Amino acid sequence: MKIGILGLGLIGGSLGYDLRSLGHHVLGVSRRLSTCEKAIALGSVNEASVDISLLAAAEVVFICTPIGLIVPQFQQLIDHLPVSTVITDVGSVKAPIVKAIAPQWSNFIGGHPMAGLAESGIEAAQRDLFVGRPYVLTPDETTPKTAIAIVEEIVRSLGANLYYCPPDEHDRAVSLISHLPVMVSAALIATCMGETDTHVLQLAQNLASSGFRDTSRVGGGNPELGVMMAQYNRQALLSSLAQYRQNLAKLTNLIEQSDWAALEFQLQANGKARPKFVE
Ligand code: NAP
């Protein structure tokens, strides 16, 4: 199958590697010529160009640009495509994208591979990035069954675990498990850096080990991605942050009251709940 990828970065480049090894002919379009050349040299795409019309020959196009560019790039793309082309995207937020694109392109299905790295760009692209990872598709009642089947087949062939849900439910769920942790982890790093005793700050930096590495990882990641999560999933993220503040206040209160039994009860409940998310 001829498959187009618009935006040859971490996700687009990684998709290219896997789609090529599955035998597809991959057409890549990116903003910079140097990225197109790298993508060809690395073997992520068969052909690449900064000219979006290269994608006219694709049967399916994955839009893999930064979130804020998905809708504007879609608007440019459709001037070059026959209506039969299936378009999907990989944006980390779904409701605003689906709301803008679905009414304009019947063969569109929103998607989100839950696979990421701290690095970005074509150099960070990896083979098998999606294997064993969740991949969410968000069709609505008007999405043609054939378009769903085509994208589903590709996603399954990547080795990803497929999920379907409505766009707004996707956005609320990822707000809890992806976007909230970025903000919580960012606040953790800022709190540590706010230590005014330079000796204590230096000692903390020297002593930081695996626990801090785990809890600070997402807060120290790609700032542009963090801002886009907040900007495009603002309402769901504000709601998650409000719930988080309530839980933090509850824990603070238990410590102020020296209510160690209640604190232990809460920590035990959390320990039992965690495997439901990560195992
Ligand atoms: P990325 O590594 O920065 O890649 C995005 C690429 O888009 C850039 O390399 C850039 O290529 C290209 N681009 C920028 N403007 C463009 C334009 N106007 N036309 C064509 N290409 C353009 O970002 P990413 O992490 O792959 O994220 C891409 C999408 O995947 C985002 O929508 C994000 O929400 C989603 N996503 C990310 C993750 C993650 O953890 N990273 C996970 C799941 C989904 P040039 O080098 O040519 O400028």
Side-chain angles (χ1 to χ4, degrees):
M1 190 182 260
K2 278 195 171 173
I3 300 182
I5 298 177
L6 177 51
L8 297 171
L10 167 68
I11 300 294
S14 301
L15 260 177
Y17 281 132
D18 293 352
L19 294 173
R20 282 202 68 198
S21 61
L22 288 161
H24 298 292
H25 185 89
V26 179
L27 306 166
V29 168
S30 212
R31 178 181 47 178
R32 288 179 291 174
L33 182 61
S34 58
T35 301
C36 296
E37 289 168 352
K38 259 181 234 161
I40 294 174
L42 289 167
S44 165
V45 296
N46 297 88
E47 299 172 53
S49 173
V50 292
D51 182 351
I52 207 164
S53 70
L54 178 73
L55 302 177
E59 293 151 80
V60 179
V61 176
F62 284 78
I63 306 181
C64 303
T65 60
I67 304 179
L69 291 173
I70 290 176
V71 176
Q73 285 303 302
F74 159 81
Q75 300 292 1
Q76 288 194 27
L77 176 67
I78 53 175
D79 290 341
H80 303 276
L81 302 184
V83 291
S84 58
T85 309
V86 174
I87 302 179
T88 183
D89 78 299
V90 298
S92 311
V93 176
K94 293 276 55 88
I97 290 171
V98 174
K99 207 171 149 194
I101 296 184
Q104 298 187 60
W105 198 262
S106 76
N107 276 315
F108 171 76
I109 174 165
H112 181 200
M114 302 293 300
L117 296 172
E119 297 81 21
S120 57
I122 186 69
E123 297 87 356
Q126 286 188 4
R127 289 179 167 76
D128 295 331
L129 184 68
F130 311 100
V131 174
R133 302 299 187 90
Y135 197 124
V136 189
L137 294 179
T138 61
D140 63 20
E141 56 288 345
T142 65
T143 316
K145 292 212 170 12
T146 46
I148 299 175
I150 288 169
V151 179
E152 178 177 320
E153 171 64 25
I154 295 172
V155 168
R156 284 194 198 285
S157 70
L158 297 171
N161 302 328
L162 187 65
Y163 293 89
Y164 284 105
C165 67
D168 60 325
E169 282 183 17
H170 164 277
D171 291 356
R172 283 165 54 201
V174 295
S175 159
L176 286 171
I177 52 83
S178 176
H179 303 171
L180 175 64
V182 168
M183 299 307 153
V184 169
S185 176
L188 169 70
I189 299 171
T191 303
C192 294
M193 288 311 294
E195 174 55 58
T196 49
D197 185 326
T198 51
H199 294 292
V200 173
L201 177 59
Q202 185 58 59
L203 186 61
Q205 288 171 348
N206 293 342
L207 299 184
S209 187
S210 54
F212 190 78
R213 191 183 311 272
D214 290 347
T215 50
S216 64
R217 183 176 65 82
V218 292
N222 183 344
E224 282 173 21
L225 206 55
V227 171
M228 286 198 183
M229 287 169 176
Q231 199 180 345
Y232 288 90
N233 204 14
R234 185 168 169 269
Q235 224 34 60
L237 180 56
L238 284 173
S239 157
S240 303
L241 281 165
Q243 287 174 51
Y244 181 77
R245 265 212 302 272
Q246 275 181 20
N247 281 290
L248 200 58
K250 201 169 136 190
L251 290 173
T252 306
N253 189 253
L254 293 178
I255 296 167
E256 280 171 353
Q257 305 293 316
S258 298
D259 191 346
W260 311 128
L263 181 61
E264 186 177 348
F265 182 79
Q266 181 61 56
L267 295 178
Q268 268 173 358
N270 294 348
K272 280 192 193 130
R274 184 171 181 269
K276 295 179 180 157
F277 295 88
V278 293
E279 278 172 21

